[in-house]
Amino acid sequence: MYKIAVIPGDGTGPEQVREGLKVLEAVREKFNLAMETVTYDLGGERYLRTGELLPASVLEELKAFDAILLGAIGHPDVKPGILEKGLLLELRFQLDLYINLRPVKLYPGVATPLKDKGPEEIDFVVVRENTEGLYAGGGGFLRKGTPEEVAIQESINTRYGVERCLRYAFEYCRRKRQRRKLTLCGKTNVLTYAFDLWERAFKEIATEYPDIATDYAHVDAICMWMVKNPEWFDVIVTDNMFGDIITDLGAMIQGGMGIAAGANLHPGRVSMFEPIGGSAPKYAGQNVINPLAAINAAAMLLDFLGEEEAACCIETAVATVCREHLKSLNAGQMGYTTSEVGDLVVNHL
Ligand code: IPM
Ligand code: MN
């Protein structure tokens, strides 16, 4: 019996999650899986109502699930940073979800802003470290509010954290990819401490994986190549901040936030799956956003649970819906409502 916690969250999150669950329910039936879901009210509304972000009791309960399906976190009436740090990053840190896995895959029939590039050229995965780096919260102010103010924001890179991320990337490359090419994305020419550690660990671990081709590129160059030659990439591994930035670029070349999903993973423990597009408050409640990102997140969830066939079935249905039905992947331009897109995927399973 799979136990799934559901956090619909803010803005368009509940609409995303509703369609993700619709598809999960349909594959559950088709593949005869046993699954139960429990919904948690967390997010901006609850925070405004009660001041609570992630109560300790809820965190404890979440640890007992197999997976979490998250809609979105972010509310226009809450100051930026509060929900992000108090809830989304808190979940990632407290559950030690040390991998953020983001596939960048262009499906046939989907428009990409890259001229002359198609599904053959755009198919890679970013493995982002998810618990350290600039996100760890190191630093502080000195003389805050004075003309002599100092703000320090430190990037924390532990050998342990870097190594487990790199090992995951090598294993993922071996297990899931045919090309078996792993590119380290860093900035060894300037960040000569942090990425020195990353590069040394990368080279050492690479000797244990002779079947995997390795490569290195600076983050700025990666941005350039992702646009000019995305076909060079198979799996890219990088730190938290660079991973955050390059995966938004990745989402755009695969057709936009309407389809981009991500997984926050700790292999063997409860892990969290989300559409990466955010809460998009201006579209909330209108049944116009594209739910394929949440549906893809649901597919990643099943894959993580070992239900690879069920996951694959969802992915194939999503690809078919993109190819045969949707006019665009953008909110309001799909030619269908949010719930109709969910129904289309279910029909194609
Ligand atoms: C993401 C988001 C988050 C991040 C924000 C909302 C804190 O942009 O999941 O990429 O920076 O990690
Ligand atoms: Mn981001």
Side-chain angles (χ1 to χ4, degrees):
M1 169 74 86
Y2 294 125
K3 289 184 68 191
I4 317 286
V6 180
I7 305 175
D10 301 317
T12 51
E15 294 162 74
Q16 286 271 1
V17 154
R18 185 188 68 213
E19 301 310 313
L21 287 175
K22 184 193 278 178
V23 173
L24 266 185
E25 174 54 24
V27 281
R28 190 198 60 72
E29 233 171 74
K30 184 179 161 84
F31 289 87
N32 211 358
L33 307 173
M35 201 180 277
E36 70 178 24
T37 61
V38 179
T39 302
Y40 284 87
D41 168 28
L42 296 170
E45 293 295 336
R46 177 162 178 180
Y47 174 70
L48 291 170
R49 211 170 58 237
T50 70
E52 288 170 308
L53 288 161
L54 181 62
S57 59
V58 173
L59 179 63
E60 278 316 302
E61 281 179 48
L62 288 173
K63 290 179 183 165
F65 285 85
D66 296 302
I68 302 168
L69 184 64
L70 170 71
I73 301 290
H75 195 290
D77 300 338
V78 181
K79 193 176 151 226
I82 294 184
L83 298 168
E84 290 86 344
K85 288 183 91 167
L87 190 47
L88 181 61
L89 299 183
E90 193 65 8
L91 282 165
R92 289 179 183 167
F93 294 162
Q94 293 297 336
L95 299 175
D96 199 25
L97 304 173
Y98 64 91
I99 295 297
N100 194 319
L101 189 69
R102 296 195 171 173
V104 177
K105 182 170 180 169
L106 180 70
Y107 292 118
V110 171
T112 172
L114 301 188
K115 188 164 156 282
D116 303 330
K117 301 292 176 187
E120 293 279 295
E121 286 83 23
I122 303 174
D123 182 6
F124 61 93
V125 176
V126 178
V127 176
R128 164 185 173 189
E129 200 291 323
N130 211 28
T131 54
E132 299 194 341
L134 283 166
Y135 280 68
F141 293 108
L142 275 175
R143 303 190 283 268
K144 189 175 180 189
T146 73
E148 296 82 31
E149 176 164 357
V150 181
I152 298 173
Q153 196 94 48
E154 291 162 330
S155 176
I156 309 294
N157 297 265
T158 69
R159 174 73 196 212
Y160 167 77
V162 169
E163 184 154 343
R164 66 179 177 173
C165 174
L166 292 171
R167 286 195 180 278
Y168 179 89
F170 276 102
E171 285 294 327
Y172 182 88
C173 217
R174 180 176 273 177
R175 218 176 58 238
K176 293 278 194 188
R177 307 292 297 185
Q178 262 153 31
R179 276 173 70 199
R180 295 194 176 178
K181 178 180 171 191
L182 181 61
T183 303
L184 173 64
C185 164
K187 190 72 186 172
T188 53
N189 53 347
V190 177
L191 307 181
T192 50
Y193 311 128
F195 282 101
D196 187 74
L197 191 164
W198 275 85
E199 196 175 37
R200 270 183 287 118
F202 185 69
K203 285 184 177 158
E204 284 170 30
I205 297 168
T207 63
E208 297 171 36
Y209 293 87
D211 52 322
I212 292 169
T214 55
D215 194 8
Y216 171 84
H218 297 318
V219 62
D220 47 349
I222 288 248
C223 290
M224 186 168 77
W225 302 128
M226 272 172 69
V227 171
K228 192 165 178 291
N229 296 98
E231 65 278 7
W232 286 356
F233 300 112
D234 183 22
V235 178
I236 299 174
V237 63
T238 191
D239 84 344
N240 211 339
M241 186 79 258
F242 292 165
D244 177 49
I245 297 167
I246 67 170
T247 53
D248 267 23
L249 177 53
M252 284 304 121
I253 68 174
Q254 75 180 123
M257 289 302 183
I259 191 142
N264 302 270
L265 305 175
H266 187 127
R269 285 206 214 160
V270 60
S271 293
M272 183 167 76
F273 302 82
E274 54 174 341
I276 72 167
S279 60
K282 71 172 177 182
Y283 295 122
Q286 296 174 37
N287 206 23
V288 296
I289 49 109
N290 187 344
L292 291 180
I295 293 170
N296 275 341
M300 293 182 86
L301 184 156
L302 287 170
D303 188 77
F304 174 77
L305 295 178
E307 300 296 341
E308 296 185 352
E309 213 188 323
C312 196
C313 175
I314 296 182
E315 218 201 315
T316 308
V318 167
T320 309
V321 169
C322 287
R323 201 180 56 239
E324 291 181 6
H325 298 278
L326 303 192
K327 287 209 293 255
S328 152
L329 295 191
N330 298 336
Q333 298 165 17
M334 300 183 292
Y336 297 88
T337 64
T338 304
S339 31
E340 284 169 348
V341 174
D343 293 340
L344 282 169
V345 174
V346 167
N347 291 338
H348 282 285
L349 285 174

